[in-house]
Amino acid sequence: MKPHGRKVAILGGARIPFARSNTAYSTKSNQDMLTAAFKGVVDKFQLHGEALGEVQAGAVLKHSRDFNLCRESVLSSGLSPATAACDVQMACGTGLQAAIGVANKIALGQIESGMAGGVDTTSDAPIALGEKLRKILLEVNRAKTTGQRVKALAKFRPSMLAPAIPTNGEPRTRMSMGQHCEVMAKEWKIRREDQDLLAYESHRKAAAAWEAGFYDDLVVPYSGLTRDNNLRPDISLEKLATLAPAFDRKSGHGTLTAGNSTPLTDGASAVLLASDDWAASRGLKPLAYLTHAETAAVDFAGAQKEGLLMAPAYAVPRLLARAGLTLQDFDFYEIHEAFAAQVLCTLKAWEDPTFCKQRLGLDKPLGAIDRSKLNVKGGSLAAGHPFAATGGRILATLAKIIHENGGGRGLISICAAGGLGVTAIVEGA
């Protein structure tokens, strides 16, 4: 396979501890948290006053005040104000998509260095006016005379003060992600016991990584937290088995629970990327390289009725074909655990001859992975999932894993709302 452009080095990253919604960061904004993650990178690599080529980051849940979120956070980060910045949004794939955008510019020689990241808070989710009240206020704004304003305001009723509460659902189906994943779990016959086991392993691996000090230089203390507060070191399969279904309470066959699904989470992350020359000029050594990326989308609401979170199952085969690799040619797999069932559906699809032939157009299944190589430092079920911040967390984590391993190759797979998937390959320096 021919390389395309220059190598893109991952120099490292920083994130704040992830916190369950309405806990430690209940009064923090997207800008507060993203700035803290950026400062973590600036301090770690002594970039104070440095002008990077570009910074890309974003959030899924944004207030109107967040219209230039990334740039505003850059201006408060310690970087030079001459550092350009832009917002990115690709649902749960935002952080990784931002890194891909920066990496592509480095590979093309357009910039020498850049930072990518993401942030989200469900504690400070935007709450909109009801549609009827909003239209009245717009009519008042358009009015030219006092009479016109009074006429518009006369339409107001106290009941219109009820806000439009944000929901974590798909506009085209009116179903939440969890409801969609429950449908996927039934279609792929994913057992509750297997979901609970994956959640148990995620927490146990993350707890071991924290105790070993793996996260000490990846996570910067913030707002009183030094560790992710969703982590449950004392988790047990027995406790997980007692939890009631969270998204299908009526049928008696629901398998997704609060324990094997990610909680609503607040947090932010950032990653520093650069060319080899830029890194060498500052005495910085790459941890790993971002070498390939692929996105995909599925028809979850139309005729095909594919599972909402199955897009990575389509993206990875294209990624492998371009890289000239098989699914087994990896030392590590970082598959985002939006839900334990989603991970298991994807793994099962890659092993299924019918799916691989009819949906992916392959002659044979991609096959199974070595599960001991999956999310070896814990995944989203343990850390939590601040939507746009997850990609940066995974990328920085995987780069460090590969570096400490003395090399190797890792696969990243992230599902996202809207039937989207973002995937990438990271290889040793």
Side-chain angles (χ1 to χ4, degrees):
M1 182 199 132
K2 292 182 179 180
H4 297 279
R6 301 185 300 175
K7 295 172 70 176
V8 179
I10 305 169
L11 301 182
R15 67 176 177 90
I16 60 175
F18 289 174
R20 279 178 170 259
S21 181
N22 294 313
T23 60
Y25 304 155
S26 60
T27 61
K28 301 300 181 181
S29 68
N30 279 330
Q31 188 178 329
D32 292 335
M33 293 189 292
L34 186 59
T35 299
F38 285 175
K39 282 183 175 178
V41 172
V42 170
D43 292 343
K44 184 174 184 176
F45 296 99
Q46 293 300 294
L47 300 175
H48 306 89
E50 188 90 38
L52 299 183
E54 186 168 295
V55 178
Q56 295 189 23
V60 176
L61 300 176
K62 297 175 71 173
H63 289 269
S64 58
R65 65 173 180 259
D66 292 329
F67 78 98
N68 212 5
L69 174 64
C70 185
R71 171 61 174 165
E72 289 295 328
S73 295
V74 163
L75 289 173
S76 300
S77 69
L79 288 172
S80 166
T83 300
C86 70
D87 282 20
V88 178
Q89 206 274 65
M90 197 175 185
C92 305
T94 297
L96 182 56
Q97 185 69 359
I100 293 167
V102 170
N104 285 343
K105 288 196 171 187
I106 293 171
L108 289 171
Q110 296 175 352
I111 60 176
E112 295 296 321
S113 62
M115 190 160 56
V119 60
D120 260 299
T121 167
T122 49
S123 299
D124 186 36
I127 298 177
L129 296 171
E131 187 62 16
K132 290 181 180 179
L133 178 56
R134 189 184 72 86
K135 287 182 177 180
I136 289 173
L137 293 177
L138 288 174
E139 187 177 343
V140 171
N141 185 58
R142 291 192 299 268
K144 303 297 183 182
T145 67
T146 300
Q148 289 174 337
R149 294 187 186 93
V150 170
K151 183 178 179 181
L153 289 171
K155 300 176 184 178
F156 170 76
R157 300 293 181 272
S159 60
M160 296 178 185
L161 290 173
I165 303 298
T167 59
N168 181 21
E170 291 294 328
R172 291 181 179 273
T173 63
R174 307 288 184 183
M175 292 169 61
S176 70
M177 257 193 193
Q179 290 170 322
H180 272 285
C181 195
E182 188 72 76
V183 172
M184 288 166 49
K186 290 179 172 61
E187 178 184 351
W188 286 97
K189 297 179 173 58
I190 304 299
R191 301 190 316 153
R192 161 75 181 269
E193 294 80 4
D194 294 330
Q195 296 175 50
D196 286 350
L197 179 59
L198 183 65
Y200 170 80
E201 291 173 343
S202 184
H203 282 270
R204 297 298 292 174
K205 290 174 184 176
W210 275 105
E211 290 306 310
F214 175 83
Y215 286 111
D216 288 353
D217 69 336
L218 286 174
V219 179
V220 295
Y222 181 68
S223 193
L225 282 189
T226 57
R227 293 190 177 189
D228 306 318
N229 73 5
N230 180 63
L231 180 62
R232 299 291 181 265
D234 61 344
I235 196 169
S236 70
L237 290 172
E238 290 75 19
K239 288 182 181 178
L240 287 169
T242 64
L243 299 177
F247 302 102
D248 180 4
R249 298 182 177 92
K250 295 181 179 180
S251 74
H253 301 292
T255 59
L256 274 70
T257 70
N260 57 40
S261 308
T262 52
L264 293 175
T265 315
D266 306 334
S269 66
V271 182
L272 181 63
L273 306 169
S275 67
D276 274 337
D277 288 343
W278 189 92
S281 71
R282 286 154 179 79
L284 300 174
K285 294 184 178 180
L287 299 180
Y289 290 92
L290 179 56
T291 58
H292 296 84
E294 181 72 43
T295 58
V298 294
D299 180 11
F300 69 94
Q304 186 172 322
K305 286 289 190 289
E306 184 59 89
L308 174 72
L309 304 178
M310 292 298 290
Y314 289 80
V316 165
R318 301 205 295 260
L319 185 73
L320 297 175
R322 184 177 300 113
L325 298 169
T326 71
L327 185 59
Q328 291 70 41
D329 289 335
F330 294 88
D331 303 284
F332 306 100
Y333 301 87
E334 285 289 327
I335 301 180
H336 165 46
E337 300 165 346
F339 305 90
Q342 174 269 321
V343 177
L344 297 171
C345 286
T346 299
L347 295 179
K348 198 167 184 179
W350 287 335
E351 296 179 44
D352 185 73
T354 301
F355 178 87
C356 288
K357 182 177 182 179
Q358 294 182 358
R359 298 294 181 91
L360 304 182
L362 302 176
D363 294 331
K364 60 180 181 180
L366 292 177
I369 69 168
D370 181 345
R371 290 280 293 274
S372 69
K373 301 176 180 179
L374 173 65
N375 298 343
V376 296
K377 302 299 181 182
S380 297
L381 287 167
H385 173 39
F387 308 125
T390 288
R393 174 191 69 79
I394 290 176
L395 188 59
T397 298
L398 180 56
K400 183 176 179 181
I401 289 170
I402 289 174
H403 176 70
E404 290 192 346
N405 188 59
R409 181 185 293 121
L411 173 67
I412 299 175
S413 172
I414 299 178
C415 62
L420 298 170
V422 190
T423 61
I425 295 174
V426 176
E427 302 188 60

